Amino acid sequence: MQAISEKPVKSARGRPKIFNRERVLDKAMMQFWAYGYEGTSLSHLVDATGAKAPTLYAEFGNKEGLFRAAMDRYLEVFEDLRKGALDQSEYSVSQGIEVYLRSTARSFTDKSKPAGCFVICNSMVLAASSTDVAKMLRKQHHTQEAILETYLQVRQQRQELPTDVDVSAIARYLSCLLQGMSVRAREGATLAELEEIIATFMGQWPALTGLTYKG
């Protein structure tokens, strides 16, 4: 993780408060995650982070800048943990995908934070006028899909997947599956319910790849 950025913040009385950038981003991330970009006002962010509006503007420029930094923080804290499953060379290709999906399901239903995926949740409630934020979120969707496609391509090059398997199509399928899981989690689905969805998908693995599923 990035080092904590601490800056003195002027106070009317006494010693200056310390601006803890990671703490502010964590609070802002949770606010955007729970209520969405449109549903989060500057006053909400001030209340959530404990930082004054001028301080937030000075550090992040505007609400969009703070949202971008909060999304980067989300990717750093949560996405890297999930992607770790794809880096385990001892897993078969199907095991890597299953571990990744199950790790995602645990993240989506973790009661210590808002349900679902930060990126997907914000995409679903975004106003049409927020074009720059929409581009930012769409780019992240494509990045996530590209990570899955690259994983499958590498395994295909290692001859762990047949050469005629369309790994791009499977990556798109997985991306849609993740979006659906996020929506279900947001609606209150439990971990067990998401794992049932994953089990159904893994049951389709032989038809998608021509390989026997090894759980």
Side-chain angles (χ1 to χ4, degrees):
M1 293 185 183
Q2 299 174 349
I4 295 176
S5 173
E6 295 188 344
K7 300 179 181 180
V9 178
K10 291 183 179 180
S11 177
R13 297 179 180 179
R15 299 173 62 182
K17 295 180 180 179
I18 297 299
F19 180 81
N20 185 317
R21 195 174 194 273
E22 280 194 353
R23 178 186 175 280
V24 167
L25 284 178
D26 286 342
K27 296 289 187 180
M29 174 180 66
M30 294 298 176
Q31 191 74 21
F32 284 125
W33 199 342
Y35 301 104
Y37 180 79
E38 302 294 343
T40 300
S41 67
L42 180 61
S43 61
H44 292 146
L45 292 167
V46 168
D47 290 342
T49 63
K52 301 298 184 183
T55 302
L56 294 177
Y57 279 124
E59 184 70 19
F60 303 105
N62 53 23
K63 189 177 90 166
E64 183 181 318
L66 178 52
F67 178 80
R68 182 185 298 274
M71 185 175 75
D72 288 343
R73 177 70 172 157
Y74 167 80
L75 298 174
E76 175 189 10
V77 174
F78 295 103
E79 284 293 297
D80 286 351
L81 293 175
R82 289 165 48 194
K83 287 188 295 187
L86 302 179
D87 297 330
Q88 303 301 315
S89 59
E90 68 270 21
Y91 292 153
S92 68
V93 60
S94 61
Q95 288 172 332
I97 291 296
E98 182 173 13
V99 170
Y100 173 78
L101 290 174
R102 291 189 183 279
S103 175
T104 298
R106 288 193 297 273
S107 177
F108 284 0
T109 55
D110 182 352
K111 299 299 184 183
S112 68
K113 56 183 180 54
C117 169
F118 175 96
V119 177
I120 295 170
C121 290
N122 273 281
S123 296
M124 294 189 62
V125 294
L126 196 64
S129 58
S130 299
T131 54
D132 289 341
V133 175
K135 289 178 182 177
M136 189 191 316
L137 293 168
R138 188 162 55 248
K139 179 180 178 181
Q140 184 52 41
H141 284 310
H142 292 163
T143 297
Q144 181 59 58
E145 188 174 306
I147 289 169
L148 291 165
E149 183 173 350
T150 297
Y151 170 79
L152 294 170
Q153 286 174 340
V154 169
R155 292 308 183 100
Q156 191 173 53
Q157 291 166 2
R158 295 177 184 173
Q159 300 183 337
E160 295 178 39
L161 285 170
T163 56
D164 61 346
V165 169
D166 188 343
V167 294
S168 297
I170 296 178
R172 288 193 295 271
Y173 190 160
L174 285 165
S175 182
C176 289
L177 179 63
L178 292 169
Q179 291 181 39
M181 287 169 55
S182 177
V183 172
R184 292 300 298 271
R186 195 72 164 182
E187 293 174 344
T190 64
L191 174 59
E193 289 170 330
L194 293 189
E195 288 186 329
E196 286 179 359
I197 295 172
I198 295 168
T200 299
F201 170 78
M202 297 311 301
Q204 298 172 343
W205 186 256
L208 292 171
T209 63
L211 297 174
T212 301
Y213 167 56
K214 298 178 180 180

